[in-house]
Amino acid sequence: MEIDPPRNTRAWVLHPELKFDNSRRDPVAALDEAVALAKAMPEMEIVGADIIALRSVQSGVLFGKGKIAELKALFEAEEIELVLIDGALTPVQQRNLEEEWGVKILDRTGLILEIFSDRARTREGVLQVEMAALSYQRTRLVRAWTHLERQRGGLGFVGGPGETQIEADRRAIDDAITRIKRQLSKVVKTRELHRASRKKVPFPVVALVGYTNAGKSTLFNRLTGATVMAKDMLFATLDPTMRSVELPSGQEIILSDTVGFISELPTELVAAFRATLEEVLDADLVVHVRDISHPNTVEQARNVATILEQLGVADDAPMIEVWNKLDLLPPAEQEALLEKAARKDDKFAVSAITGQGIDDLLDAISATLTDPKTERELLIPFSDGRKRAWLFQEGVVTHEDQTEEGFKLTVLWTARQEKNFREM
């Protein structure tokens, strides 16, 4: 007997657009991004998508009565089971729209949480997503959230059968958040130990950041020879990955691939993933990867800058900007961008797919991380062989003599190496 494979959930994407809100993103680009987000969930079949113009937001149901009735008829005709709203919904709006249309509703935050839940692989990633989902869920207790079950929602997190036991549910969520925070604190301590051990080596850390789908993972794979998942898909990778890379100059660095950013990234996720994203704060160099072929590349770059500011990355932090996906542009535009990048010290036009411009980028990374060196004379007691061995391991010793007091060494080192030596 053959068993039919489970049918994908039939979904429709709506992007609400206030007519008189000039601060919003381009509605067509916003809808395209929302559809791309939805397609990142393989269990969904995107049947259709619409931009819904609003004169004003209705507090209880978001849309006007006429539009609700029109959409209800459409969803019934198309047998829609899930509607994705590209924006933030209040719990009341979510509940009322579900009752009006007889479908499940996910807003932008709920959808991104679903994607992150599907992509998290490491223990830290799973815990961070779970905590973000619980924080999001806690604000939506217009119904029961009994025993932390996954009962309602398009694909997972969001759900519950009734409107009872709200206080008990809230306590259950608070208890679960407290438990996860304890578990995460242990993971964070382990990460801090890893950071401390890297500083002792010490290899400079270079962090790749950028809008989701900008090609960070493809560039990471190009530079490291790794096999990090790299697809034309939003949030193809979630958990941070680190690899050592030897630059053409012979200098060794640690390259970090971080989770992609996105406009209107849910605050719950920014908070939950702060420990992971703080790798960027510790980086000696931040490489901002942009999809230069995207029609909204400038706006995407602004969103990345905003999130970096929220994380506490200083304006004067060492940063290089990479204009990636050069191969997707017509030849004339490629030439214009290459000429423009050549006139700037911190901009590099590359293609992570073809390798074009990669050598210049690596030379720039090496030059940025090459600190000026100063010469010092040191006297190390015979009893302190560990420090002497470290200096030779670093390759900074230019001359050595033995005296009655110990080893007299002449070293040529960077300020970073001197600091690490003094802290030993």
Side-chain angles (χ1 to χ4, degrees):
M1 176 181 174
E2 290 189 7
I3 299 177
D4 293 333
R7 184 176 60 80
N8 287 344
T9 302
R10 292 175 62 81
W12 200 282
V13 181
L14 298 178
H15 173 74
E17 182 68 22
L18 274 172
K19 287 186 176 181
F20 306 107
D21 185 358
N22 296 324
S23 65
R24 298 282 293 174
R25 297 176 294 155
D26 173 63
V28 176
L31 181 64
D32 288 343
E33 182 178 276
V35 171
L37 276 172
K39 287 181 177 178
M41 294 300 297
E43 300 92 342
M44 279 198 281
E45 176 190 353
I46 309 304
V47 179
D50 286 306
I51 298 170
I52 307 298
L54 300 176
R55 289 187 176 275
S56 61
V57 173
Q58 303 299 313
S59 59
V61 286
L62 186 63
F63 307 107
K65 290 183 178 179
K67 180 58 67 175
I68 287 177
E70 176 188 330
L71 290 171
K72 179 181 176 65
L74 172 65
F75 298 153
E76 288 177 350
E78 297 289 346
E79 299 181 345
I80 299 302
E81 302 160 280
L82 171 66
V83 175
L84 303 168
I85 307 291
D86 184 35
L89 288 178
T90 67
V92 172
Q93 288 171 340
Q94 187 170 352
R95 179 193 62 188
N96 289 343
L97 286 175
E98 285 182 338
E99 291 178 353
E100 290 281 353
W101 291 336
V103 300
K104 297 173 184 176
I105 303 286
L106 273 182
D107 66 0
R108 184 181 178 87
T109 298
L111 175 59
I112 294 176
L113 283 170
E114 293 284 355
I115 296 169
F116 273 48
S117 174
D118 188 60
R119 300 286 157 75
R121 293 293 178 266
T122 65
R123 174 171 172 76
E124 181 179 14
V126 171
L127 287 172
Q128 287 169 327
V129 172
E130 189 177 349
M131 187 170 73
L134 289 170
S135 299
Y136 170 75
Q137 194 63 266
R138 192 182 187 282
T139 66
R140 317 189 85 72
L141 290 176
V142 292
R143 62 190 74 228
W145 208 82
T146 308
H147 306 305
L148 302 182
E149 293 174 351
R150 294 167 55 144
Q151 297 174 28
R152 199 207 87 226
L155 305 167
F157 283 119
V158 196
E163 294 191 17
T164 60
Q165 299 183 343
I166 287 179
E167 288 304 318
D169 294 338
R170 185 170 287 123
R171 283 196 299 273
I173 291 177
D174 289 342
D175 290 344
I177 290 175
T178 300
R179 171 179 53 81
I180 293 171
K181 282 182 176 178
R182 282 199 298 266
Q183 292 174 301
L184 269 175
S185 66
K186 296 177 182 178
V187 178
V188 169
K189 286 178 182 176
T190 302
R191 182 179 290 277
E192 288 172 351
L193 289 173
H194 289 166
R195 284 182 191 148
S197 63
R198 286 201 302 269
K199 288 179 180 178
K200 290 177 182 177
V201 172
F203 294 140
V205 176
V206 177
L208 301 180
V209 302
Y211 207 81
T212 183
N213 211 33
K216 296 187 312 305
S217 295
T218 305
L219 181 61
F220 183 87
N221 290 342
R222 164 72 65 172
L223 298 180
T224 65
T227 54
V228 173
M229 181 183 179
K231 289 186 176 181
D232 185 14
M233 177 190 295
L234 300 190
F235 299 121
T237 52
L238 175 57
D239 296 301
T241 309
M242 308 190 84
R243 295 285 188 278
S244 62
V245 177
E246 185 174 331
L247 298 176
S249 63
Q251 183 180 21
E252 193 166 354
I253 65 170
I254 295 175
L255 190 65
S256 172
D257 182 20
T258 61
V259 61
F261 299 159
I262 195 168
S263 64
E264 301 174 28
L265 188 67
T267 55
E268 294 91 350
L269 280 175
V270 174
F273 277 80
R274 189 174 185 85
T276 301
L277 295 173
E278 278 177 355
E279 291 286 355
V280 178
L281 291 176
D282 283 344
D284 298 278
L285 174 65
V286 176
V287 176
H288 176 192
V289 183
R290 289 175 56 183
D291 176 359
I292 203 65
S293 69
H294 196 283
N296 296 101
T297 182
V298 174
E299 186 174 339
Q300 290 180 352
R302 281 199 296 265
N303 285 317
V304 171
T306 299
I307 294 175
L308 289 175
E309 184 181 350
Q310 290 174 355
L311 289 172
V313 176
D315 292 337
D316 58 352
M319 185 177 297
I320 285 176
E321 190 169 282
V322 174
W323 298 343
N324 191 30
K325 303 193 181 182
L326 196 62
D327 54 293
L328 297 182
L329 295 175
E333 290 186 35
Q334 290 187 33
E335 288 299 323
L337 275 174
L338 287 167
E339 290 179 9
K340 184 177 179 181
R343 295 193 296 268
K344 299 178 181 293
D345 294 333
D346 60 346
K347 307 285 193 299
F348 297 88
V350 309
S351 168
I353 292 290
T354 67
Q356 183 179 6
I358 295 296
D359 289 342
D360 290 341
L361 173 61
L362 290 174
D363 289 341
I365 292 174
S366 182
T368 304
L369 295 174
T370 300
D371 297 329
K373 296 183 178 180
T374 56
E375 189 173 84
R376 294 277 191 273
E377 285 193 354
L378 304 173
L379 182 62
I380 298 180
F382 293 119
S383 60
D384 206 349
R386 185 172 65 93
K387 285 189 173 183
R388 176 177 174 272
W390 185 86
L391 290 169
F392 276 97
Q393 182 182 341
E394 288 292 302
V396 299
V397 179
T398 60
H399 185 74
E400 181 186 39
D401 288 318
Q402 286 194 32
T403 69
E404 293 181 359
E405 293 82 13
F407 298 102
K408 184 178 181 182
L409 295 94
T410 303
V411 300
L412 185 66
W413 59 11
T414 64
R416 182 207 310 275
Q417 289 169 323
E418 181 173 5
K419 179 176 181 291
N420 288 327
F421 176 80
R422 304 297 183 194
E423 291 177 351
M424 290 178 68

